[in-house]
Amino acid sequence: MKNIGKKSLTLLLIATMLIALIPIVPVNAAIEYTAVVNDTHSNHIDEGYYNDLIKVTGTGVTAGETVKLGWDGLQAWNGVKGVLNSTTAAGSGAWEIWFNVPEAKAGSHYLWVKDMDTGDTLKYDNAFTVLPTLKFSPSSGLINDRITLYGYGYASSSDITTITFADDYGPWPLITTPTAPESDSVGSWSCTFKVPHSSYGDWAVTASDGTNSNASLFTIGPSITLSKASGPVGTIIEITGRGFTLNEDLDSTEVKIDSTICYITDDDTVGTDGKFSIDCVIPQVSDDGDYTITVTENDAGSYSATADFEVTALAKIELEPEFGVQGSSIYVEGEHFTAISGKTVEIWLYNEDGVTPVAKISDKLKTTSSGTFSGTVTIPAQSSGRYTIQAIQSTYYIDDGASFRIGLMIVIPTPTSGPTGTKITLTGTGFTNNENWNMTFGDIAIVEGSDGLVDSDSDLLLNEDVPTFYVPTVPVGTYTIAVYDIDSDITVEVDWTVTATTKVSFDPVNAPNGYYVNVTGSYFNAQEDGDLEFVLYNVTSDGDVDGEWDITVQYEGDTSVLDDEGNFTGWWLVPDSDVLSVGDYILNVTASDASHIMGQGYFSVVAKSIDVEPRKSSFARGETVAFNIWSSFPQGNSYIEIYDPTGDLYWTTDEFESTMWLKVGTLQTVPYYYQTAGGNALLLLEDATLGTWSWEWYDVDDEELSSGTFTVTAAPADVISSQLTQLNADLAQLSTDFSSVSTDVNSLTTSVAALSDTLAQTIAAVNANSNAVQDVAAAVASVADTASNAVDAANAAAAAATSA
């Protein structure tokens, strides 16, 4: 049990005494067990108060599995009911759970226990009764101090109708704010009041809701206040007090945390106003948790006052290493010692029992203002064996010890590096004879419980053999192998380097249902008879597991699954879509006979694919028709039928046998050279019909898989011949055009000659008669037009000849 303060030790003793009185409680489940339920305020077995510490024990659950305890229901705690605590069952199936009574309304409640392995739920037939209780904050005060009163375990949602204060003059109503506080759904409530004018003493405050009532004592008298409500051992706290005897001296014997003295760093005297202020050091206590600090006057009126303080951590030392031969140096460091700089910490060597001192090792180490210290000390000349090294500050009541072995302790792993799955042989010596040891690799526990043994020669054994284990699956890096000697509480460490880590891969990583996929793995446990387990998971986008399938991986021949390096190669048939739908999956591969070795591979199921089309959209006569054929799977004995534009069957290809299919990536294809009809290539003859052809692809069952069209065009030679014939016709036409041009030119020549004669005659006429000038001008214009037309005709003829 952890985190239980010194105050709680008394509770444990009471619980132990009550165990013998507890009967076997019948349960409404198949598992039988004995229940122990006890509280701190009475000797009742089945009732208690808020925050009481309760122990529940039983037997008959699954060994080593989790056991959960619920209050009024087994569910997540919601403030009213749910799981309070859990534990792990012992090897015998016995279990023990501690819990504090939660805030709960008065009356009956039930405790439930669930075996998380089997799912069996157990309920105590006897109800646990919650009783009302009161608490004050602070627990004492002077007249007119404002005090908060808390109530727990009353009826839910009820008015607290009566609150009284009983002193020497009898009980009388206590004035509170609010006047009649109302409880909440779990029966809790609070109010405040002023300390009434009464003499010093313990007086009963009673609160009732009409059905449930409780009386608790409130102290009128001295009170103290702490500067801190919590802190580790070594913390310096200031205590201020009021209401103490005037001029009373205070020293360390008058301040305690539970029963342990708190050293006062500056003794003080109570002033004339009954007040004081002192600083003191929190000493070492039995465990962290809640404690009570008490200031008591040992003289005069012997008044005392208390305040709560939580110890958050204990003083602690560590040794490096935890063993060594005589004269060797070790490093000592500590924390949570006196938080005052320069205070001496003595280092002593004690016998194994930690009680009997053997020798002082050092008095040179000093604390810092944060309560830490560190330094190197030398192991004295003492006989080999187990001891305790103790760090002591006796003035401040602080000390802590750690086990130490004088002598050699050593662990040797063979080999010292390698990939995960490497088999390591571990040898060691110097450990406690005939006792147990545990071992971790990094943070992973490899040897636990009583598996690790030490023989009479202090050699390490594992199940009576030399210990061997396989390096677990961890990232590449350097790790610490730590061997823990349980009896001496000493750990011996050695480094081990991981050079490669476990991995799993698929080829291909995407495949459809019904497809064979190669699976390979590396760096599993390297042993000839190793076996593997394959589990496939579907993980949603939210990271939740949505489905789990065990799969079978096939291997070639009768050889072992894993080779001597921890590798394997196999294949896996992706199941039908009604088992695995399209999506992403994770494959976990674990070594069934070697713990902590696991590899993961990522794989996707994709839709099946069929894609067929002609190699080209058109083929000429004399070319070979071919198709680009792709399929997720070989379509064995499938074939293609090809039809001409009239709809007549032109070819039926030879069947594409399974051996003709070639894998390219994740798909299968039929090479062009296998695409034949009657063993011949699909060659278009010179008389093949021009136009649009069609094709249909059928599987082995004559079911159509795909269809389409392509175009057949004339052969290139036929096209060139047609083009040459056209060219010859164009040249003949050009020759005709040139002949026409020649005639036009001859006509032009004749016209020009005639023009020359006309001009000569006109000039003569002009010379003969000046009145003929207008006639000459008109004649010249006519000749110019004729010449222009002739030139245009010649240019047109030349252009026609050029284009031809």
Side-chain angles (χ1 to χ4, degrees):
M1 180 185 65
K2 297 182 178 179
N3 301 328
I4 297 176
K6 207 166 189 179
K7 177 174 61 177
S8 303
L9 294 179
T10 303
L11 310 182
L12 297 180
L13 293 175
I14 295 174
T16 303
M17 295 172 63
L18 289 174
I19 289 176
L21 303 176
I22 305 306
I24 295 178
V25 179
V27 298
N28 56 359
I31 297 177
E32 294 182 358
Y33 61 96
T34 301
V36 177
V37 181
N38 54 302
D39 60 71
T40 59
H41 291 180
S42 72
N43 290 327
H44 296 292
I45 296 172
D46 53 3
E47 61 183 27
Y49 303 87
Y50 164 67
N51 213 34
D52 275 355
L53 184 64
I54 306 296
K55 182 175 75 170
V56 184
T57 64
T59 60
V61 298
T62 306
E65 296 296 333
T66 300
V67 180
K68 290 187 177 181
L69 176 72
W71 175 273
D72 283 344
L74 277 165
Q75 61 184 50
W77 180 258
N78 62 10
V80 177
K81 59 184 177 181
V83 173
L84 291 177
N85 204 354
S86 63
T87 189
T88 300
S92 63
W95 50 271
E96 174 181 297
I97 301 179
W98 290 83
F99 75 96
N100 292 96
V101 175
E103 290 189 65
K105 63 183 180 180
S108 299
H109 299 266
Y110 287 89
L111 297 176
W112 300 77
V113 175
K114 184 172 184 178
D115 183 331
M116 300 305 295
D117 182 63
T118 64
D120 289 335
T121 301
L122 325 171
K123 186 186 79 171
Y124 291 94
D125 282 349
N126 291 348
F128 183 88
T129 302
V130 172
L131 304 173
T133 187
L134 300 175
K135 181 180 180 181
F136 305 96
S137 180
S139 59
S140 63
L142 300 177
I143 296 172
N144 289 327
D145 282 355
R146 176 64 67 176
I147 307 298
T148 300
L149 172 63
Y150 296 94
Y152 302 96
Y154 283 74
S156 63
S157 305
S158 296
D159 291 333
I160 308 304
T161 55
T162 304
I163 302 177
T164 62
F165 188 94
D167 58 10
D168 290 336
Y169 304 99
W172 46 271
L174 184 64
I175 299 174
T176 63
T177 304
T179 303
E182 182 181 0
S183 63
D184 59 19
S185 61
V186 291
S188 299
W189 55 271
S190 67
C191 64
T192 63
F193 66 90
K194 284 186 177 181
V195 176
H197 288 266
S198 299
S199 60
Y200 277 15
D202 295 331
W203 310 111
V205 174
T206 303
S208 172
D209 61 11
T211 302
N212 304 284
S213 179
N214 180 262
S216 295
L217 296 179
F218 177 78
T219 300
I220 298 180
S223 65
I224 59 173
T225 302
L226 308 181
S227 61
K228 298 177 181 179
S230 63
V233 170
T235 297
I236 309 299
I237 62 170
E238 180 185 25
I239 303 176
T240 57
R242 300 179 303 126
F244 285 80
T245 303
L246 308 185
N247 302 318
E248 169 72 6
D249 291 332
L250 297 175
D251 56 41
S252 285
T253 60
E254 296 176 316
V255 180
K256 294 181 180 180
I257 181 167
D258 279 11
S259 59
T260 304
I261 293 174
C262 299
Y263 178 79
I264 299 177
T265 62
D266 53 348
D267 292 350
D268 195 14
T269 300
V270 178
T272 57
D273 56 359
K275 298 180 179 180
F276 68 85
S277 176
I278 57 175
D279 290 335
C280 64
V281 181
I282 299 298
Q284 182 80 321
V285 290
S286 60
D287 205 345
D288 54 5
D290 295 330
Y291 290 84
T292 299
I293 291 179
T294 303
V295 177
T296 303
E297 295 179 355
N298 291 327
D299 300 324
S302 298
Y303 295 129
S304 65
T306 62
D308 294 334
F309 186 84
E310 180 187 4
V311 177
T312 57
L314 304 181
K316 181 182 179 181
I317 67 168
E318 292 184 353
L319 311 176
E320 179 60 38
E322 297 174 285
F323 57 90
V325 298
Q326 296 84 344
S328 62
S329 295
I330 64 167
Y331 181 75
V332 183
E333 63 179 356
E335 61 180 354
H336 307 317
F337 282 71
T338 305
I340 303 175
S341 178
K343 297 304 179 180
T344 298
V345 179
E346 294 183 350
I347 308 299
W348 282 76
L349 185 70
Y350 275 66
N351 279 338
E352 181 182 353
D353 58 15
V355 176
T356 306
V358 175
K360 180 189 289 187
I361 298 177
S362 171
D363 57 5
K364 305 298 183 184
L365 303 183
K366 307 290 184 180
T367 56
T368 66
S369 59
S370 61
T372 63
F373 73 89
S374 62
T376 301
V377 298
T378 302
I379 300 305
Q382 298 292 328
S383 59
S384 296
R386 289 170 49 188
Y387 295 84
T388 297
I389 288 182
Q390 203 83 8
I392 302 173
Q393 287 187 307
S394 56
T395 299
Y396 304 101
Y397 305 98
I398 299 175
D399 67 280
D400 186 52
S403 294
F404 187 84
R405 182 185 292 277
I406 296 180
L408 181 64
M409 296 181 73
I410 189 171
V411 171
I412 301 175
T414 305
T416 58
S417 65
T420 58
T422 298
K423 185 177 182 179
I424 293 179
T425 299
L426 198 67
T427 57
T429 189
F431 291 79
T432 305
N433 295 346
N434 303 315
E435 295 293 344
N436 297 110
W437 57 276
N438 290 167
M439 187 263 287
T440 57
F441 186 98
D443 295 330
I444 300 174
I446 304 297
V447 179
E448 298 181 275
S450 60
D451 289 341
L453 302 174
V454 181
D455 66 11
S456 57
D457 295 325
S458 73
D459 294 328
L460 297 180
L461 298 177
L462 182 59
N463 294 326
E464 301 182 358
D465 294 314
V466 175
T468 60
F469 68 96
Y470 297 93
V471 176
T473 298
V474 292
V476 171
T478 299
Y479 296 83
T480 298
I481 295 177
V483 179
Y484 174 59
D485 187 317
I486 298 174
D487 186 62
S488 66
D489 192 27
I490 294 175
T491 300
V492 182
E493 298 179 344
V494 62
D495 288 340
W496 208 91
T497 301
V498 176
T499 57
T501 193
T502 312
K503 60 182 180 180
V504 175
S505 59
F506 291 93
D507 181 23
V509 296
N510 305 304
N513 302 102
Y515 197 87
Y516 282 96
V517 176
N518 291 323
V519 185
T520 59
S522 304
Y523 309 125
F524 285 80
N525 49 320
Q527 56 179 343
E528 293 182 356
D529 57 351
D531 194 10
L532 299 175
E533 295 177 353
F534 299 85
V535 181
L536 195 70
Y537 297 91
N538 178 235
V539 180
T540 66
S541 59
D542 297 331
D544 297 327
V545 174
D546 184 20
E548 174 182 333
W549 302 266
D550 293 329
I551 70 171
T552 301
V553 174
Q554 304 292 326
Y555 307 93
E556 293 185 2
D558 297 326
T559 58
S560 62
V561 173
L562 293 167
D563 62 20
D564 56 4
E565 294 181 353
N567 305 322
F568 73 87
T569 300
W571 63 88
W572 167 57
L573 176 63
V574 181
D576 294 338
S577 58
D578 58 348
V579 177
L580 282 187
S581 58
V582 172
D584 299 325
Y585 296 86
I586 297 175
L587 177 65
N588 279 3
V589 183
T590 56
S592 58
D593 50 1
S595 299
H596 311 297
I597 298 180
M598 186 271 289
Q600 283 189 334
Y602 298 86
F603 176 77
S604 296
V605 177
V606 297
K608 295 179 181 179
S609 174
I610 292 180
D611 185 15
V612 182
E613 60 182 9
R615 182 174 59 86
K616 302 193 303 181
S617 61
S618 65
F619 298 91
R621 289 170 175 167
E623 287 189 321
T624 299
V625 176
F627 294 85
N628 295 322
I629 303 174
W630 297 99
S631 175
S632 296
F633 304 97
Q635 297 290 340
N637 299 109
S638 62
Y639 60 92
I640 296 177
E641 290 183 348
I642 302 172
Y643 299 86
D644 65 15
T646 65
D648 293 332
L649 180 62
Y650 196 84
W651 284 306
T652 297
T653 65
D654 299 322
E655 292 184 350
F656 305 140
E657 299 177 0
S658 297
T659 56
M660 297 178 180
W661 290 80
L662 177 66
K663 183 180 178 183
V664 179
T666 61
L667 297 176
Q668 300 279 339
T669 187
V670 178
Y672 297 146
Y673 52 80
Y674 283 136
Q675 300 179 26
T676 60
N680 299 312
L682 308 180
L683 179 65
L684 290 169
L685 301 180
E686 60 183 8
D687 61 348
T689 306
L690 302 181
T692 301
W693 293 49
S694 62
W695 57 269
E696 298 170 356
W697 182 27
Y698 294 92
D699 63 15
V700 65
D701 297 322
D702 300 325
E703 296 289 335
E704 184 178 308
L705 297 173
S706 187
S707 63
T709 62
F710 61 85
T711 302
V712 174
T713 61
D718 293 339
V719 173
I720 292 173
S721 176
S722 175
Q723 291 174 343
L724 289 175
T725 300
Q726 183 62 44
L727 179 60
N728 288 335
D730 291 342
L731 289 175
Q733 181 62 43
L734 179 62
S735 177
T736 302
D737 291 341
F738 269 113
S739 295
S740 176
V741 170
S742 177
T743 301
D744 291 341
V745 171
N746 290 335
S747 175
L748 177 60
T749 302
T750 301
S751 297
V752 171
L755 176 61
S756 178
D757 291 343
T758 301
L759 286 174
Q761 295 172 4
T762 301
I763 292 171
V766 169
N767 292 333
N769 187 357
S770 59
N771 292 329
V773 174
Q774 295 299 324
D775 295 336
V776 172
V780 171
S782 176
V783 171
D785 289 339
T786 302
S788 177
N789 290 336
V791 172
D792 289 341
N795 288 336
T802 301
S803 64

